[in-house]
């Protein structure tokens, strides 16, 4: 369990400790999303998505460049993905919901990569059929969010590799061992599949350009832990004559425990999309809050929404601006107790799950329509 005072670790495989997002921007060399940039986005989208307004998406590379190309009449494609190692929890949905908004507002095609190969290589205990099974299960969650089947292609790595391979090896030829070792911290004992894998995660960034036969800008919405992949991808791009992919980075959705992101390896503090409403309710009722030891004390001193996982859920997913503002005020003022807050969140989560699970069932009939396959070429 990651406590809040632990040292920050952010890699594609581990996120723990207290996350200092400003420090990440500095260390990774990305750019903060400025008010000017938000204004420029809003010109095209009409309204700003709450995830932009609330700085859940907070950092970028070349977002200004993507907008410039767009303003000059050049469409871009979106690319994001998922390492299918288990069920999806509602934290995973946060960037996907945002990606759907981008697809709608910019009429953009989306490539979504399911990296069953990556998860097979990474997890010693996995047989190949395990991540393959999760790739299908997780795709249902993606489809349930309402992506447009005409504009969305889900790439199942192990199924589509024939098509991806020509690009993967051209990319791989420009990535050296010394680079990937330095960027990803690979060891002598790391299996060689993992060493090659960064080339595979780079492929969808160039796929549209390759298939179209001319350069198409690509924007990658993803949590900031994936940034090392984009650094090596961007290095290779000009060597192959492609545009560098742009990124827009989001924060990690916290779990229901104390500190740390929601993680499938901590099921008691993660709400899975396939949890029954009753199970999810229990998890919310057991959540870590910013409350005081006694009701009397809380009434007198108020509570702390900034460390509260219940507040975080309302903030990331469930409440509009007015509700959030009121809740924050009442929490700080000691006007509302944690039990009430948990109750409100429980109802929202239950409603969300019931609706999502219905759409998820329906998605089973549409899975094939979303698959990337060589016929698309
Ligand atoms: N490596 C990612 C993971 O483990 C999966 C992934 C592949 C991805 N391509 C992506 C995530 C593009 C975000 C954007 O989850």
């Amino acid at each position: 369990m990651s406590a809040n005072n632990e040292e920050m670790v952010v890699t594609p495989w581990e996120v723990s400790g207290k996350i200092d997002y400003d420090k990440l921007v500095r260390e990774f060399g990305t750019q903060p999303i400025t008010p000017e940039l938000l204004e420029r986005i809003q010109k095209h989208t009409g309204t700003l998505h709450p995830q932009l307004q609330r700085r859940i998406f907070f950092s970028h590379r070349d977002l200004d460049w993507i907008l410039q190309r767009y303003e000059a009449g050049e469409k871009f494609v979106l690319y994001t993905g998922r390492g299918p190692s288990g069920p999806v929890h509602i934290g995973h949905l946060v960037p996907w919901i945002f990606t759907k908004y981008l697809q709608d507002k910019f009429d953009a095609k989306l490539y979504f990569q399911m990296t069953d190969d990556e998860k097979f290589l990474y997890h010693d205990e996995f047989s190949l059929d395990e991540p393959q099974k999760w790739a299908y299960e997780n795709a249902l969650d993606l489809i349930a969010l309402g992506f447009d089947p005409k504009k969305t292609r889900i790439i199942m790595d192990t199924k589509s590799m024939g098509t991806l391979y020509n690009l993967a090896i051209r990319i791989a030829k420009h990535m050296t061992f010394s680079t990937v070792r330095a960027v990803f911290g690979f060891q002598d004992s790391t299996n060689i599949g993992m060493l090659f894998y960064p080339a595979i995660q780079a492929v969808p960034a160039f796929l549209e350009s390759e298939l179209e036969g001319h350069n198409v800008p690509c924007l990658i919405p993803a949590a900031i832990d994936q940034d090392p992949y984009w650094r090596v991808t961007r290095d290779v791009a000009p060597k192959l004559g492609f545009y560098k992919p742009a990124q827009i980075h989001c924060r990690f959705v916290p779990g229901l425990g104390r500190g740390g992101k929601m993680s499938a390896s901590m099921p008691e503090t993660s709400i899975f999309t396939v949890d029954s409403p009753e199970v999810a309710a229990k998890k919310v009722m057991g959540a870590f809050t910013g409350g005081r030891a006694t009701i009397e004390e809380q009434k007198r001193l108020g509570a702390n929404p900034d460390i509260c996982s219940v507040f975080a859920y309302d903030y990331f997913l469930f409440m509009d601006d007015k509700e959030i503002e009121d809740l924050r005020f009442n929490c700080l003022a000691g006007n509302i107790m944690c039990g009430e807050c948990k109750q409100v969140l429980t109802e929202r989560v239950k409603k969300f799950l019931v609706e999502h699970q219905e759409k998820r069932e329906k998605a089973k009939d549409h899975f094939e329509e979303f698959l990337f396959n060589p016929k698309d070429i």
Side-chain angles (χ1 to χ4, degrees), residues 206-270:
F206 306 137
L207 196 53
E208 187 71 359
S209 300
E210 179 72 2
L211 298 180
E212 287 296 309
H214 61 86
N215 257 327
V216 181
C218 171
L219 174 64
I220 307 175
I224 195 162
D225 61 328
Q226 295 298 306
D227 191 68
Y229 285 111
W230 316 134
R231 293 203 289 274
V232 296
T233 304
R234 287 168 61 88
D235 280 351
V236 170
K239 294 177 184 156
L240 295 177
F242 293 124
Y243 285 150
K244 293 183 179 189
Q247 284 86 57
I248 179 163
H249 303 110
C250 69
R251 297 168 195 261
F252 311 111
V253 183
L256 290 168
R258 189 194 184 109
K261 72 166 184 172
M262 193 175 262
S263 157
S265 57
M266 294 189 288
E268 68 288 355
T269 59
S270 300

Side-chain angles (χ1 to χ4, degrees), residues 79-83 113 115 118-119 197 201 220 222 226 230:
Y79 161 36
T80 191
R82 153 92 182 142
Q113 184 178 37
T115 59
E118 175 193 20
K119 294 299 148 178
Y197 174 75
Q201 185 155 326
I220 307 175
Q226 295 298 306
W230 316 134

Side-chain angles (χ1 to χ4, degrees), residues 167-199:
L167 207 40
I169 53 175
R170 282 161 59 207
I171 294 164
K173 202 167 178 176
H174 293 286
M175 284 182 185
T176 66
F177 176 48
S178 108
T179 299
V180 294
R181 182 178 48 195
V183 172
F184 297 98
F186 293 143
Q187 311 280 318
D188 281 359
S189 58
T190 304
N191 73 60
I192 62 171
M194 290 294 290
L195 306 186
F196 183 69
Y197 174 75

Side-chain angles (χ1 to χ4, degrees), residues 284 310 313-314 318 341-349:
V284 174
V310 174
Y313 270 84
D314 290 325
F318 293 112
C341 258
K342 285 178 175 174
Q343 203 53 53
V344 172
L345 179 61
T346 299
E347 291 315 313
R348 304 257 173 135
V349 167

